[in-house]
Amino acid sequence: AIILVHWLLTVWGCMNYMFPPSYAWGNFSVLAVGIWAIVQRDSLDAITMLLTGLLLTVLTDIIHISIFYPPNNYLSNVKRFSLGMAIFSLLLKPVSCYLVYQMYRERGGE
């Protein structure tokens, strides 16, 4: 469910081409690692990489949103929706990090 929600929010966040391709590449790469973590349920490396990737995308999302946020007179409805979904994804990532950390502990991590 974590991967599906973040995939949907990332797709909606990339709808308007307002962010550079690095926003999409970073988020979709972490989601690909998340699929690897789902497929290999006994792999501690996959869940560690997912947790690290989520933490790194929190930082890169803050940078992308703060640098590429347009002035108010250039905000159309589509841009406003796209930015809202990117911000919502950013706000949801700490909760996802906590849930992934719980999965890490279940798989035997310290």
Side-chain angles (χ1 to χ4, degrees):
I2 295 169
I3 302 300
L4 181 64
V5 168
H6 280 291
W7 176 80
L8 186 62
L9 291 174
T10 302
V11 167
W12 283 345
C14 294
M15 243 182 356
N16 198 358
Y17 302 108
M18 186 171 34
F19 296 121
S22 60
Y23 176 80
W25 276 103
N27 282 299
F28 286 127
S29 298
V30 170
L31 295 176
V33 171
I35 291 172
W36 174 39
I38 291 171
V39 170
Q40 291 192 351
R41 293 200 177 268
D42 57 342
S43 174
L44 198 59
D45 292 337
I47 201 77
T48 304
M49 286 181 65
L50 176 60
L51 183 58
T52 305
L54 280 172
L55 290 171
L56 285 174
T57 56
V58 168
L59 178 65
T60 60
D61 286 358
I62 290 171
I63 293 169
H64 279 110
I65 291 170
S66 63
I67 290 175
F68 294 100
Y69 196 89
N72 282 339
N73 53 348
Y74 292 110
L75 278 176
S76 64
N77 288 335
V78 177
K79 284 185 180 180
R80 193 173 283 124
F81 177 78
S82 182
L83 273 170
M85 293 302 108
I87 292 170
F88 184 58
S89 176
L90 174 63
L91 292 174
L92 196 62
K93 280 185 183 178
V95 175
S96 299
C97 287
Y98 175 75
L99 294 173
V100 169
Y101 180 71
Q102 293 300 322
M103 287 186 251
Y104 171 77
R105 301 273 320 256
E106 289 173 5
R107 292 185 185 189
E110 295 181 15

